[in-house]
Amino acid sequence: MTIPDVSSPPAQPASTPSLTPLAFAPGDGIGPEIMAATLRILAAAGARIDPYEVAVGQQVYLGGVSSGVAPSAWDTLRQTGVLLKGPITTPQGGGYKSVNVTLRKALGLYANVRPARAYAPFVATHHPAMDLVIVRENEEDLYAGIEHRQTDEVYQCLKLVTRDGCERVVRYAFEYARAHGRRRVTAMTKDNIMKLTDGLFHRVFDEVAAEYPDLQADHMIVDIGAARLGARPETFDVIVTLNLYGDILSDIASEVSGSVGLGGSANIGASVAMFEAVHGSAPDLAGQDKANPSGLLNAAALMLTHIGQGEVAQRIQNAWLCALEDGLHTADVVGPHTVRQVGTQAFADAVIERLGRLPQHLPAVVGLGNAPAIHVQVSPRPRAVKQLVGTDVFLEWWASDRNPDVLGQQLQGAAEDGWRLDMISNRGVKVWPQGLPETTCADHWRCRFLWQDPAQPVGHAEVLALLARVSALGLDFVKTEHLYTFDGQAGYTAGQGQ
Amino acid sequence: MTIPDVSSPPAQPASTPSLTPLAFAPGDGIGPEIMAATLRILAAAGARIDPYEVAVGQQVYLGGVSSGVAPSAWDTLRQTGVLLKGPITTPQGGGYKSVNVTLRKALGLYANVRPARAYAPFVATHHPAMDLVIVRENEEDLYAGIEHRQTDEVYQCLKLVTRDGCERVVRYAFEYARAHGRRRVTAMTKDNIMKLTDGLFHRVFDEVAAEYPDLQADHMIVDIGAARLGARPETFDVIVTLNLYGDILSDIASEVSGSVGLGGSANIGASVAMFEAVHGSAPDLAGQDKANPSGLLNAAALMLTHIGQGEVAQRIQNAWLCALEDGLHTADVVGPHTVRQVGTQAFADAVIERLGRLPQHLPAVVGLGNAPAIHVQVSPRPRAVKQLVGTDVFLEWWASDRNPDVLGQQLQGAAEDGWRLDMISNRGVKVWPQGLPETTCADHWRCRFLWQDPAQPVGHAEVLALLARVSALGLDFVKTEHLYTFDGQAGYTAGQGQ
């Protein structure tokens, strides 16, 4: 266990003497040197932390652990609940898994938080006024990776969204906005198209927003939002969104800020949170005292605020802005405003020397002092009354020139004993009854059967009997989706053209 | 039927005397005046067209047709195969459907084509050199709109991608690139995550690209691609991508070009194609001779190239660039380079006066003369040999503190007669066997059963028997996804952590 120097006098010596234990993983490539620089700055700034080193990364992979996380590291992580992680090199081939994916899944890290700020003129950008944060749902959406090739022609990926998953990340975004002195939270979804899934996210956003009257809240359709973010990022403050959109939006924000290499990010879970630089391990730069520790330092500032030491984070970030302004730049930032090019440790020294100062040109970081630690609690809700009302049966079929009327007539033979064939759609477009001849049909047909007898409840037995009849007609069903109402509201969308 | 003046001498009088019939819909708001201006320019430029007016839009809606497309219009559309459409006002409420959605679905318009070009310094942008085209798949992906709420907590949307759908749009992109003198086609997908669906798009792209050795072809992950597009759009030429990504990317491209109001777009189908401005009907500007006809004119240029009159399109676009350069600007473009603010018809006159000239400051449009009409044919392929090997059964379950081991043990009771329970995942993460205690579990469990007996084929009967046993255990199955191999290759992904 490495214990860095934390003997410097803390900034607020009397009031909160206890130290927060945390895990840190130096990482690979430039990781160890930027971690050393970062921990030196934290100590000098009076961070009240007790850091424990854990084994994560290349040495662990090569030691035979395919996750890259040593068994002993898990215990430390669970005890401390906080990990400051240097960049990791995932070895190619051999079934090695990304440490990030492993930790995100295993520890339920539900929110990814990525600030993107411009530092013009010291870092070139078209958008000098931008200063925003993207809070991205981190576990759900299409990233669940559930894919099926269902017919010769059709491949499917499931987009899954949960009520609690939406609420956790949305609450986190509002709490983060408050804790960091931000004013406005913008949700981005595509709920004009995806009314149930993205609609849920939007609805939860509106519900949660009502509990934060001190913050502005608005919603944008993600295509327009992404365009606005690319062209006018300075108009945003906090953005909260689903996993895939967040993936795209956070890369756009980083790129147009001009400062990809300076960014830090947080991955927040219920009991554990992980903080890291956005950049990679840059093995070719390793050991040369050339790397810029800023990404990890900015991640560490997020971490300090997370553990309730916002005033230390603020001191560090303002000192760091001073170093940038004063033209003390590592090689990656060198430009017309550079006064002196410095190495990793000299840059850390420059930051330490400026602790307590405020930047003169760049806006100072304010409002983090006394920022509360964020705890998100999902509200308990009563379960809705669910009722089975039908089933969508998906067929592979390419007979009879793919004429939907032929299929419709054939399926009528299965629609007995309480079932009615309501419609058939192909790639979402209704093709029976009364389709249009121009609709291009794949070999994949969604056949909606509704239960007709409100007096008699329908259950698994009736669905299985229906499927058996469909099969007896010589038709090949490849999947089903049951149709339910929840508290009387339909839990399914109509076919396009219905 | 309105027949505009097409009596001006055509640019190439002798060689191709026959006129191409086309349908046009003036549209609502500013539609009629920009359509009149556009058709005047087309006639003066020698477009060999025979335009028929069709009834589409507000008057049709208010006449009681909820699609906004008059029955008589369908016949004309089918006969001409080409529609130049003015902007439409969809009335609010009352179940009116967007004309675009109706036409796209009904006519199988599989590719959306949207050029985005900078016209700096005449139109302000950070990216004066950008000149790209986005070709977007237009029928599939999450936009099929198939959504189900499956449990109290979990909502699902299906992302559907077909082999032919990918091939059609990818071939169109390469053919378009050739016809328009472009050099490079870039595919964007997220196939590092979605290996089956986005993987299919990428694979088809690589296959088709090999048939176009005269064009460069590359692939980018869409998050990085979107970021690059926002920050350095001048590095792209033609981009081809799936529906959702294309929606986001085309809005980014438009916005950073600075010329959203000047853009035209094409929607290409097998037998019909539709061309329109990107902007809306702007009812508040209607009838004042203030609107800019450029968006519709640029759409008309796409149309002319589509029908094999690329040399006319080129004449028109170069004359239009001359008018822009000469500072003859409608109100929306007025700025430091404006010499005279003009109205809609005066702007059209300015373009007509400049027919035959080439721009001096802005790059001229070249290479469209003799551009071939684009015909896309999907290659026939033999159907793969499909074999059922298992089924994913999805359960709603929230008993026993959601302990996956309890569920796993219970399900063993159903895994008889040739079936084996392979794994259980929750939101895509494997939770049985050997899950991790920190994984947050929703009430939605994917239980994978594999068929064990290679000697005996498995079919619907065995699946139904399995489901009946699951139901008899008191477990609530809400959907199924069959597992198949195709030509011996698994048509499904493993659970994360498997």
Side-chain angles (χ1 to χ4, degrees), chain B residues 2-315:
Chain B
T2 306
I3 303 184
D5 173 21
V6 287
S7 58
S8 324
Q12 299 186 353
S15 58
T16 48
S18 72
L19 302 182
T20 301
L22 62 86
F24 73 97
D28 305 316
I30 57 172
E33 54 204 286
I34 62 174
M35 182 62 78
T38 297
L39 290 176
R40 279 207 298 126
I41 296 169
L42 263 60
R48 301 175 299 282
I49 57 172
D50 184 13
Y52 293 82
E53 182 169 341
V54 293
V56 168
Q58 207 162 20
Q59 292 305 315
V60 181
Y61 283 121
L62 301 178
V65 181
S66 70
S67 68
V69 181
S72 61
W74 290 107
D75 293 334
T76 309
L77 283 183
R78 284 170 180 144
Q79 280 162 26
T80 63
V82 180
L83 171 63
L84 182 65
K85 188 175 77 61
I88 303 293
T89 306
T90 309
Q92 291 298 303
Y96 297 112
K97 284 167 199 152
S98 136
V99 163
N100 277 24
V101 173
T102 299
L103 293 176
R104 188 175 71 236
K105 288 183 314 194
L107 302 175
L109 306 179
Y110 62 83
N112 178 267
V113 182
R114 231 169 109 174
R117 185 182 158 180
Y119 304 105
F122 310 100
V123 179
T125 173
H126 289 304
H127 310 286
M130 84 176 276
D131 178 11
L132 60 86
V133 179
I134 294 179
V135 179
R136 162 188 172 193
E137 199 288 315
N138 212 20
E139 298 184 286
E140 307 191 339
D141 198 349
L142 293 152
Y143 290 53
I146 307 178
E147 294 188 288
H148 296 87
R149 179 177 177 186
Q150 300 187 315
T151 67
D152 192 69
E153 297 168 5
V154 174
Y155 298 67
Q156 174 192 276
C157 184
L158 299 185
K159 167 169 171 159
L160 297 179
V161 176
T162 73
R163 179 72 174 73
D164 286 1
C166 295
E167 186 174 338
R168 266 191 293 270
V169 74
V170 167
R171 282 197 182 278
Y172 188 85
F174 278 96
E175 288 291 331
Y176 179 95
R178 247 188 206 163
H180 287 74
R182 296 198 172 252
R183 303 264 168 93
R184 175 169 152 242
V185 182
T186 303
M188 293 198 195
T189 76
K190 188 76 193 173
D191 69 340
N192 54 339
I193 300 287
M194 285 168 270
K195 295 181 198 298
L196 286 190
T197 49
D198 286 21
L200 176 69
F201 192 97
H202 190 172
R203 202 167 66 241
V204 169
F205 176 81
D206 287 345
E207 285 170 21
V208 172
E211 299 176 32
Y212 295 83
D214 50 319
L215 295 168
Q216 293 172 45
D218 55 9
H219 173 267
M220 293 180 80
I221 298 295
V222 65
D223 46 352
I224 297 160
R228 199 69 58 83
L229 182 64
R232 279 175 278 165
E234 60 281 358
T235 62
F236 292 98
D237 195 347
V238 175
I239 295 170
V240 63
T241 188
L242 294 97
N243 204 341
L244 174 66
Y245 310 142
D247 194 358
I248 294 173
L249 294 170
S250 54
D251 273 15
I252 294 173
S254 260
E255 185 91 20
V256 298
S257 76
S259 58
V260 180
L262 309 183
S265 83
N267 285 276
I268 306 292
S271 52
V272 179
M274 176 179 79
F275 301 84
E276 63 184 335
V278 169
H279 62 70
S281 60
D284 51 321
L285 276 186
Q288 297 172 45
D289 192 45
K290 285 185 179 163
N292 189 341
S294 299
L296 190 60
L297 186 64
N298 281 321
L302 290 171
M303 178 188 73
L304 289 171
T305 312
H306 176 79
I307 62 176
Q309 299 185 30
E311 85 288 356
V312 185
Q314 188 168 308
R315 266 166 70 80

Side-chain angles (χ1 to χ4, degrees), chain B residues 329-354:
Chain B
H329 295 163
T330 47
D332 55 309
V333 182
V334 163
H337 295 271
T338 302
V339 172
R340 184 155 50 91
Q341 181 175 335
V342 295
T344 310
Q345 301 308 325
F347 182 75
D349 293 336
V351 174
I352 290 170
E353 284 161 18
R354 287 163 178 78

Side-chain angles (χ1 to χ4, degrees), chain A residues 164-495:
Chain A
D164 286 0
C166 295
E167 187 174 337
R168 265 191 293 272
V169 73
V170 167
R171 283 197 182 279
Y172 188 84
F174 278 96
E175 288 291 330
Y176 179 94
R178 249 190 205 161
H180 287 74
R182 297 198 170 252
R183 302 263 168 94
R184 178 170 150 241
V185 182
T186 302
M188 293 197 194
T189 76
K190 189 76 194 174
D191 69 339
N192 55 338
I193 300 286
M194 284 167 272
K195 295 180 198 300
L196 286 192
T197 48
D198 286 20
L200 175 69
F201 192 95
H202 190 171
R203 203 167 66 241
V204 169
F205 176 80
D206 286 346
E207 286 170 20
V208 172
E211 299 175 31
Y212 295 82
D214 50 316
L215 295 169
Q216 294 173 47
D218 55 10
H219 173 267
M220 293 179 80
I221 299 294
V222 65
D223 46 351
I224 298 160
R228 199 67 59 81
L229 182 64
R232 279 174 279 163
E234 60 282 357
T235 63
F236 293 97
D237 196 349
V238 175
I239 295 170
V240 63
T241 188
L242 295 96
N243 205 341
L244 174 66
Y245 310 142
D247 194 359
I248 295 172
L249 294 170
S250 53
D251 273 15
I252 294 173
S254 261
E255 185 92 20
V256 298
S257 76
S259 57
V260 180
L262 309 184
S265 83
N267 286 275
I268 307 291
S271 52
V272 179
M274 176 180 80
F275 302 84
E276 62 183 338
V278 169
H279 63 70
S281 59
D284 50 322
L285 276 186
Q288 297 172 46
D289 192 44
K290 284 186 182 164
N292 189 340
S294 299
L296 190 60
L297 186 65
N298 281 321
L302 290 171
M303 178 188 74
L304 289 171
T305 312
H306 177 77
I307 60 175
Q309 300 185 28
E311 86 287 356
V312 185
Q314 188 167 310
R315 265 166 71 80
I316 290 173
Q317 289 203 296
N318 284 326
W320 176 76
L321 291 171
C322 290
L324 207 59
E325 280 188 352
D326 290 350
L328 299 168
H329 295 164
T330 46
D332 55 309
V333 182
V334 164
H337 296 272
T338 301
V339 173
R340 183 155 52 92
Q341 181 174 335
V342 294
T344 309
Q345 301 309 324
F347 183 74
D349 293 337
V351 175
I352 290 170
E353 284 161 17
R354 286 161 179 79
L355 285 166
R357 278 176 46 190
L358 292 178
Q360 299 304 304
H361 303 286
L362 294 165
V365 173
V366 294
L368 292 188
N370 306 315
I374 298 174
H375 296 289
V376 163
Q377 200 76 39
V378 169
S379 341
R381 283 167 312 112
R383 291 184 77 85
V385 176
K386 184 178 97 165
Q387 193 175 352
L388 184 65
V389 296
T391 184
D392 281 349
V393 180
F394 291 71
L395 303 179
E396 175 165 16
W397 187 74
W398 72 97
S400 306
D401 278 341
R402 309 187 184 210
N403 181 338
D405 292 333
V406 173
L407 182 61
Q409 193 161 14
Q410 204 174 345
L411 278 173
Q412 297 284 13
E416 296 171 349
D417 290 342
W419 289 107
R420 178 174 70 79
L421 179 63
D422 179 54
M423 65 117 170
I424 303 174
S425 73
N426 194 295
R427 295 193 299 173
V429 179
K430 190 196 74 170
V431 293
W432 183 94
Q434 282 133 31
L436 285 149
E438 281 89 355
T439 303
T440 310
C441 288
D443 62 357
H444 183 262
W445 308 76
R446 185 261 302 262
C447 309
R448 174 159 290 178
F449 290 92
L450 295 180
W451 183 251
Q452 285 308 288
D453 189 351
Q456 194 186 328
V458 55
H460 292 145
E462 289 75 16
V463 171
L464 293 177
L466 171 67
L467 292 172
R469 281 199 297 276
V470 169
S471 179
L473 291 169
L475 293 170
D476 183 13
F477 67 89
V478 299
K479 64 169 281 182
T480 59
E481 302 278 357
H482 290 182
L483 307 175
Y484 298 103
T485 59
F486 291 85
D487 288 340
Q489 292 222 322
Y492 50 93
T493 47

Side-chain angles (χ1 to χ4, degrees), chain B residues 225-485:
Chain B
R228 199 69 58 83
L229 182 64
R232 279 175 278 165
E234 60 281 358
T235 62
F236 292 98
D237 195 347
V238 175
I239 295 170
V240 63
T241 188
L242 294 97
N243 204 341
L244 174 66
Y245 310 142
D247 194 358
I248 294 173
L249 294 170
S250 54
D251 273 15
I252 294 173
S254 260
E255 185 91 20
V256 298
S257 76
S259 58
V260 180
L262 309 183
S265 83
N267 285 276
I268 306 292
S271 52
V272 179
M274 176 179 79
F275 301 84
E276 63 184 335
V278 169
H279 62 70
S281 60
D284 51 321
L285 276 186
Q288 297 172 45
D289 192 45
K290 285 185 179 163
N292 189 341
S294 299
L296 190 60
L297 186 64
N298 281 321
L302 290 171
M303 178 188 73
L304 289 171
T305 312
H306 176 79
I307 62 176
Q309 299 185 30
E311 85 288 356
V312 185
Q314 188 168 308
R315 266 166 70 80
I316 290 172
Q317 289 203 298
N318 284 326
W320 176 77
L321 291 172
C322 290
L324 206 59
E325 279 187 354
D326 291 349
L328 299 167
H329 295 163
T330 47
D332 55 309
V333 182
V334 163
H337 295 271
T338 302
V339 172
R340 184 155 50 91
Q341 181 175 335
V342 295
T344 310
Q345 301 308 325
F347 182 75
D349 293 336
V351 174
I352 290 170
E353 284 161 18
R354 287 163 178 78
L355 285 166
R357 279 178 42 191
L358 292 178
Q360 299 303 303
H361 303 285
L362 294 165
V365 173
V366 294
L368 292 189
N370 306 316
I374 299 174
H375 296 289
V376 163
Q377 200 79 38
V378 170
S379 342
R381 283 168 310 113
R383 291 184 77 84
V385 176
K386 184 179 96 166
Q387 192 175 354
L388 184 64
V389 296
T391 184
D392 281 348
V393 180
F394 290 71
L395 304 180
E396 175 166 15
W397 187 75
W398 72 99
S400 305
D401 278 341
R402 309 187 185 212
N403 180 340
D405 292 332
V406 173
L407 182 60
Q409 191 161 13
Q410 205 174 344
L411 279 172
Q412 298 284 14
E416 297 171 350
D417 291 344
W419 289 108
R420 178 175 69 79
L421 178 63
D422 178 53
M423 65 116 169
I424 304 174
S425 73
N426 194 295
R427 295 193 300 172
V429 179
K430 190 196 75 170
V431 292
W432 182 96
Q434 282 134 28
L436 284 150
E438 280 87 356
T439 303
T440 310
C441 288
D443 61 357
H444 182 263
W445 309 77
R446 186 259 302 262
C447 310
R448 174 159 290 178
F449 291 92
L450 296 179
W451 184 250
Q452 286 309 287
D453 189 351
Q456 193 186 328
V458 56
H460 293 145
E462 288 75 17
V463 171
L464 293 177
L466 171 67
L467 291 172
R469 280 199 298 275
V470 168
S471 179
L473 290 170
L475 294 170
D476 184 14
F477 68 88
V478 299
K479 66 169 281 183
T480 59
E481 302 278 356
H482 291 183
L483 307 176
Y484 297 103
T485 58

